[in-house]
Amino acid sequence: MAERSTTAVDVADNSGDQPLTAEADQATTDGAETGEKAGKQDDTERAESKSPARDAQPPDLHSGHKLARRYRLEECVTRLEGFSSWRAVDEKLRRAVGVHLLPADHPRARPVLAAARSAALLGDPRFVQVLDAVEENDLVYVVHEWLPDATELTPVLASGPLEPYDAYQLVSQVSQAMAAAHREGLAHLRLNPGSVLRTETGQYRIRGLAVMAALRGITSEHPQRTDTEAIGALLYAALTQRWPYEGNAHGLSGLPKGVGLIAPDQVRAGVHRGLSELAMRALVNDGATASRQEKPCTTPEELAKAVAVMPRIRPPESTYATPPTYPRAQPAVHGGAPAQAVPVAPPPPLQSRTGKALKWSVSALLIAALGLGSWQLADTLLKDGESDTPHSQSSSDDSPTEVESKPIKIEGAHEYAPDGKFQHPGQVRDSYDGDPETSWRSLTFNDGPKLAPYKDGVGIVYDLGEKKQIDGASVKLLYGGDHTTVTLYAANSPSASLDSMKKLAHGQTSTTESTISLKEPRETRYVLLWITEMPYSDSAHFSGAGYKQGVVDVQFTG
């Protein structure tokens, strides 16, 4: 169960103009512009201003207060409509988390609990994960991930429109994630630049699935259409740096009043035509679309399929300094006349017949002298080497000095589950944080040690930030016993298929440590740690007895 954020939790991220740390007595509009947009569809309802929720008082808590003797509240980032949101610290796992708090008798307490528990069951790493949802001591609180290495889309768009490749990745990843959520009966209903985070590796994470709408009392008769239009608005903003409705919102300027919806490529020059049409197909607006007679996309599934059939947009090529151009002597044309395309430099000295002969003679003498000197120097060095090292004949392993391997910093990681059945994606960071008290754990399996045919394996894709030479890995495991098999693969992307990856090396151990060495260094950015066999272990670490394994720490070297 998990959810992360670089700053706060977006439940009070209104139009982007209100500060997130609004005072308790300061009412927010929850994005007046967003509310107007939803109102056009006549299927989204919000709690009225005179509702009991708006009159309710948030819990009177302070920094330092502990929940369940574990979560220490640090900073209040939102306080309105009877609930508050905090940045907190999980003292047990020693990591930052986010917490939503509201009284147990709050009219939205039950819907919030139900939404949080449903979102936690999804277990999709593309969403910020819910970690806990509890009713305790007249309080209801939801604990979620806090992503310190991710950035809200709001400041990203404030700096300018996205490149076509980045905008393509945004709509592709968000539409696929929301399509998966809707297949499980979950909707967001508050997708906006404040609820989408971009990690340092270029992955997009969605926070507040179902929970944000429950906290704000938002419902919809057509939730799929609502979320699809919201994705279209995100794409529109990414292409134009404008909000596709009248009025400003989320730090972006809106469209001029009275002109209606304008296609992105008419708002800003140089916009990718295919992405422009895709945004218009998603922005339904009462069923109308400005696309070229293309059918509107009314569900995230339809939008994801439309993205998939688009010609793939390649990432921008790296820019390298162009080497200086040097003038080339042009060959003479037939008849001896020199080519006139490039001016020929004045002839060097010694161009007469006598001069040429003298030049070649001097060159031959110099070459002979250099050859004789080199031979004498090599002979001397060989004799010295034989006298100093009488046992010079040895295996190739003892010859040249080996370069000492150095640890490689891991920049990020994602759980790898090609079958869509994840283990504990919210614990991935614990597998490389250097803390022996934390770990990523698999689920417990009834049969083993080999997981197949029930499951091919479980694992994590680690991002090294850029292509680097890797020659081995040291893996600290949570359980010992007969036995664990770990294989390393080089991948082109975090979501590549296992068949497309290159096998680097594998290791098998019955202890809690596995050291894997490659026959020769390989260059890659993404490394998959793939576990296909696990030992049997008794009940421990909040899991039952069975075949299971956990990764306490991973260190790559190169």
Side-chain angles (χ1 to χ4, degrees):
M1 299 169 63
E3 187 179 3
R4 285 192 188 178
S5 152
T6 47
T7 53
V9 285
D10 185 46
V11 287
D13 176 23
N14 310 320
S15 63
D17 301 327
Q18 289 284 355
L20 202 53
T21 54
E23 297 181 1
D25 58 347
Q26 182 179 10
T28 61
T29 63
D30 187 35
E33 292 76 16
T34 305
E36 291 175 7
K37 178 261 303 185
K40 290 179 183 178
Q41 298 177 7
D42 296 327
D43 67 344
T44 303
E45 299 178 359
R46 297 199 56 241
E48 296 296 330
S49 58
K50 296 182 180 180
S51 68
R54 288 187 175 270
D55 298 333
Q57 294 298 320
D60 186 15
L61 301 177
H62 54 81
S63 298
H65 183 89
K66 286 187 181 181
L67 300 171
R69 298 181 181 180
R70 175 175 179 176
Y71 304 111
R72 186 180 72 248
L73 303 182
E74 291 285 317
E75 178 189 4
C76 182
V77 293
T78 302
R79 189 187 295 271
L80 74 165
E81 292 193 13
F83 71 87
S84 58
S85 298
W86 296 74
R87 176 177 60 83
V89 174
D90 182 348
E91 293 188 335
K92 184 176 182 179
L93 297 180
R94 288 183 283 182
R95 62 180 177 182
V97 294
V99 179
H100 300 305
L101 277 165
L102 66 166
D105 59 354
H106 192 287
R108 298 176 190 164
R110 299 300 172 195
V112 168
L113 270 179
R117 289 168 179 170
S118 297
L121 293 175
L122 183 61
D124 192 322
R126 293 170 292 192
F127 293 92
V128 174
Q129 301 290 302
V130 174
L131 300 170
D132 216 346
V134 180
E135 180 179 358
E136 181 181 72
N137 297 332
D138 299 326
L139 282 178
V140 167
Y141 59 89
V142 177
V143 183
H144 58 84
E145 285 182 296
W146 189 277
L147 295 177
D149 61 342
T151 306
E152 279 186 9
L153 203 56
T154 303
V156 174
L157 295 180
S159 62
L162 301 184
E163 292 292 331
Y165 175 76
D166 293 327
Y168 172 82
Q169 288 296 321
L170 169 66
V171 67
S172 176
Q173 294 181 32
V174 174
S175 62
Q176 289 179 25
M178 288 309 306
H182 278 282
R183 284 195 293 269
E184 299 298 326
L186 295 171
H188 196 292
L189 306 184
R190 269 188 59 79
L191 273 174
N192 56 53
S195 59
V196 178
L197 307 174
R198 186 169 74 173
T199 66
E200 293 178 349
T201 59
Q203 302 296 312
Y204 291 93
R205 303 283 298 275
I206 303 171
R207 64 182 175 191
L209 177 67
V211 176
M212 287 184 186
L215 282 168
R216 301 312 302 269
I218 299 174
T219 60
S220 174
E221 294 181 3
H222 304 286
Q224 296 212 52
R225 194 175 84 169
T226 300
D227 282 344
T228 305
E229 185 174 345
I231 300 172
L234 289 173
L235 177 58
Y236 193 103
L239 296 173
T240 65
Q241 203 184 9
R242 300 286 292 268
W243 194 238
Y245 306 101
E246 294 182 1
N248 304 335
H250 310 291
L252 301 172
S253 300
L255 297 178
K257 294 183 179 180
V259 300
L261 186 62
I262 309 172
D265 55 359
Q266 297 178 11
V267 174
R268 176 176 165 266
V271 170
H272 189 279
R273 178 64 62 84
L275 292 175
S276 175
E277 293 183 357
L278 197 65
M280 298 302 289
R281 291 179 64 185
L283 287 167
V284 178
N285 286 318
D286 297 327
T289 176
S291 182
R292 298 177 177 177
Q293 298 180 354
E294 291 281 355
K295 183 181 178 181
C297 298
T298 57
T299 68
E301 187 80 39
E302 292 178 358
L303 183 57
K305 291 180 179 178
V307 176
V309 299
M310 279 185 59
R312 191 171 184 84
I313 300 176
R314 296 183 177 275
E317 295 183 358
S318 302
T319 55
Y320 298 98
T322 304
T325 55
Y326 299 98
R328 283 175 127 181
Q330 299 293 320
V333 297
H334 184 71
Q340 301 298 320
V342 177
V344 180
L350 300 177
Q351 290 299 314
S352 65
R353 184 175 299 177
T354 304
K356 289 183 179 180
L358 180 61
K359 180 179 71 173
W360 284 110
S361 299
V362 172
S363 299
L365 289 173
L366 287 175
I367 293 172
L370 287 172
L372 180 62
S374 301
W375 176 79
Q376 290 178 340
L377 179 61
D379 185 58
T380 302
L381 291 175
L382 288 173
K383 288 180 179 179
D384 291 342
E386 290 175 1
S387 60
D388 293 339
T389 57
H391 303 287
S392 59
Q393 294 183 359
S394 62
S395 65
S396 59
D397 294 338
D398 299 329
S399 50
T401 304
E402 295 184 358
V403 179
E404 183 180 356
S405 297
K406 296 182 180 180
I408 299 175
K409 182 180 178 182
I410 298 174
E411 300 293 344
H414 298 279
E415 186 171 311
Y416 184 74
D419 60 357
K421 299 178 181 178
F422 293 88
Q423 307 297 294
H424 291 98
Q427 300 173 357
V428 169
R429 189 177 182 85
D430 297 335
S431 70
Y432 65 97
D433 60 358
D435 188 348
E437 300 297 326
T438 63
S439 62
W440 168 87
R441 303 188 304 276
S442 74
L443 299 176
T444 303
F445 299 91
N446 295 326
D447 297 322
K450 190 174 183 179
L451 299 182
Y454 175 75
K455 193 172 182 67
D456 293 334
V458 299
I460 301 172
V461 174
Y462 293 93
D463 182 7
L464 308 183
E466 60 183 0
K467 284 191 174 182
K468 294 181 180 179
Q469 290 282 347
I470 175 176
D471 60 19
S474 175
V475 184
K476 294 183 179 179
L477 302 169
L478 189 60
Y479 305 107
D482 185 21
H483 57 268
T484 301
T485 299
V486 180
T487 306
L488 300 181
Y489 290 90
N492 293 324
S493 71
S495 58
S497 65
L498 192 63
D499 293 338
S500 68
M501 299 183 187
K502 295 181 179 178
K503 184 177 178 180
L504 301 178
H506 77 280
Q508 190 175 98
T509 182
S510 295
T511 68
T512 56
E513 292 190 7
S514 178
T515 301
I516 305 173
S517 300
L518 278 65
K519 292 183 179 180
E520 58 182 18
R522 296 291 294 270
E523 187 179 69
T524 184
R525 172 176 175 176
Y526 300 102
V527 183
L528 169 63
L529 186 150
W530 192 236
I531 302 175
T532 54
E533 295 177 314
M534 300 179 178
Y536 181 89
S537 182
D538 296 330
S539 299
H541 300 95
F542 309 102
S543 62
Y547 294 90
K548 55 187 176 179
Q549 190 53 278
V551 179
V552 177
D553 193 58
V554 173
Q555 180 66 72
F556 297 106
T557 58

